Every structure is written in C-alpha cells, then in structure tokens.
Amino acid sequence: MEENKEKNKNTADSLLSVVVISALLIVIGVIFLMYPELSITTLVYLAAVLLWIYGLIRIAIYWSRKEYLNIKNYDFSFGVCSVTIGVILFVNAAMIGEKGIVFLGFCILSLSIIILQYALQIRIMNGLLFPFVLLIAVFEYIVAMIAILGLENFFDNHKTVFYVCMILCGILSFVSMGLTAFRSHNLKKEEQQKKESAFDADAAFLPDVEEENIGIETDADITYDSQNSQNNENI
C-alpha cells in the first residue's frame, strides 16, 4: 500500500512539473506577444518569488505531515533548493534577463526530453502516434538548442517568432502528455479484456471436465454396488 502511494505521488509530481512548465511557456509567450515592451528581467523577478513560495510550501508540507518519517521523501530538499535558486535568480535578475531567451530555452529543452520519453513509451505500447509525438520532441529540441546556443542571434532578432514557438511548445507538450495517457489507458483496457477472454475460455472448459468426472464417479459407484450385491448373495 505504502509503495503504491509513493509511486502515485512521484507520478503526480512528474506530471505536475510538465503541466507547470507547459502552462508557463504558453502564458509567458502570450504576455510578451501582447506586451512586447516588457523586459525578461521582470519575468526573472517573478520566477524568483514563485520559487520562494513553492519552496516554502514544500518545506511546510514536509514538517506538517511528518514526511520526515519516510526516508524516500525529499520535499524538504526540493523546498530548500527552490528557495536557494529563487535567491540566485533575484540577485542576478538583470544579468539573467539579458540572457532570458537562453533561460527559456532550457525550459523548452527539459520538455523536449520528457516528450522524447513519451514517444518511446508510446512506441513500446505499440501506439500508432509514435512518429507524431517524436516529431514534437524533435521540434522542441531544435527550438531549445537554437535559443540556448544563440545561433546567429536568430531569436534575439526575431523575438516574436520565439514567443510563438514558446506557445506552440507549451500546447504540443500538453498534446503529447494527453496522447501518452490515452494510449496507456487503452493498453490497460486491452490487457483487461484479454484476461477476461482467457477467464471465459477457462470457464467454458470447466463443464466438460466436470461431466467427465461425474462419469468416472458413476462407473465407480456401479462397480461398488455390484460388489455389495455379490457379498449379500454369499451371505
């Protein structure tokens, strides 16, 4: 029970990370498209504050729910790391803001790697949409590498294109996650149907076996009755 609970918690945390990053990419992309005069430095300050809040919540949950009794729980460590990263971002917001596209590129890169895993999962589950999800992963990976490596300052000179790509990456990440979950759900249903079919086949076979057993028991009874009759005659 505890093992399943821990497994479900880890799965929920992983999905939450994908949802949060994808949603942030969409929201940030829309904001900068609507208000291009905003600086990425402002975004860095906001990210620092959000990390502080998130980190403090994780630390509070760790102590309030007595998670320290579970050796596999790292909420306290994640909380401290989040607060620390928030401090670093806040202090260096101006410097990071100058390389804001690189920072966002790393966010997209992390998503592309997760989506690549989704593609492999769909392939293992014999899903027909494997090529589509793989293309999404490749697209996001290329966008991320252009942003991180700053190839000929392409996105610096075409920020609108980058913001549109951010929105697309966020939406496609949600699509990939949904397709993977859908295929996983269908595979479980298929396996359950196979088990039920096998059970029905076994159930259909059982009456024949029972009839044979009944026949054997009847012959034995006849033999036993004959022996009893002979004994009675001798007496």
Side-chain angles (χ1 to χ4, degrees):
M1 180 72 75
E2 287 295 328
E3 184 177 350
N4 290 334
K5 184 179 179 181
E6 187 68 24
K7 183 178 179 182
N8 292 335
K9 182 180 183 299
N10 292 336
T11 302
D13 288 343
S14 300
L15 291 176
L16 181 62
S17 300
V18 177
V19 170
V20 169
I21 296 174
S22 301
L24 284 176
L25 288 176
I26 295 172
V27 171
I28 293 169
V30 171
I31 290 175
F32 278 107
L33 281 178
M34 294 176 63
Y35 306 100
E37 68 277 4
L38 284 177
S39 70
I40 296 182
T41 302
T42 304
L43 173 65
V44 177
Y45 281 121
L46 178 61
V49 173
L50 291 175
L51 282 170
W52 291 344
I53 296 172
Y54 174 75
L56 291 174
I57 290 174
R58 293 297 288 261
I59 294 172
I61 290 174
Y62 180 82
W63 291 109
S64 63
R65 296 183 181 177
K66 295 185 178 181
E67 296 288 353
Y68 50 81
L69 297 176
N70 183 1
I71 195 172
K72 295 181 181 179
N73 187 283
Y74 296 97
D75 280 345
F76 179 80
S77 300
F78 289 143
V80 173
C81 287
S82 297
V83 173
T84 304
I85 294 172
V87 172
I88 294 171
L89 289 179
F90 193 87
V91 173
N92 298 284
M95 180 184 69
I96 296 172
E98 295 176 358
K99 296 293 183 180
I101 290 180
V102 176
F103 174 75
L104 294 171
F106 277 109
C107 293
I108 298 173
L109 179 63
S110 64
L111 277 182
S112 70
I113 295 171
I114 294 172
I115 294 172
L116 177 61
Q117 177 177 316
Y118 286 159
L120 294 175
Q121 286 178 262
I122 292 176
R123 177 68 183 86
I124 294 170
M125 293 186 291
N126 297 320
L128 298 177
L129 294 174
F130 162 70
F132 177 68
V133 178
L134 181 62
L135 282 175
I136 293 176
V138 172
F139 168 73
E140 295 199 7
Y141 184 83
I142 292 173
V143 172
M145 294 308 292
I146 292 175
I148 294 170
L149 298 177
L151 300 177
E152 298 181 356
N153 297 320
F154 178 79
F155 284 139
D156 287 330
N157 298 325
H158 303 85
K159 290 186 177 179
T160 301
V161 176
F162 178 67
Y163 298 143
V164 171
C165 288
M166 280 177 56
I167 297 171
L168 281 175
C169 288
I171 294 172
L172 291 174
S173 297
F174 278 120
V175 171
S176 301
M177 184 170 60
L179 292 175
T180 306
F182 180 74
R183 178 54 193 155
S184 177
H185 176 71
N186 283 348
L187 184 62
K188 290 178 181 178
K189 286 179 62 177
E190 292 170 6
E191 291 177 348
Q192 183 62 31
Q193 289 173 355
K194 288 180 180 179
K195 290 180 181 179
E196 291 175 357
S197 298
F199 178 78
D200 292 340
D202 291 340
F205 177 72
L206 285 176
D208 297 334
V209 176
E210 290 177 357
E211 290 177 3
E212 292 178 1
N213 291 335
I214 291 172
I216 293 171
E217 292 174 1
T218 302
D219 293 340
D221 292 340
I222 293 171
T223 304
Y224 178 75
D225 292 340
S226 299
Q227 290 176 350
N228 284 340
S229 298
Q230 291 176 358
N231 293 334
N232 290 334
E233 290 175 359
N234 294 331
I235 293 171

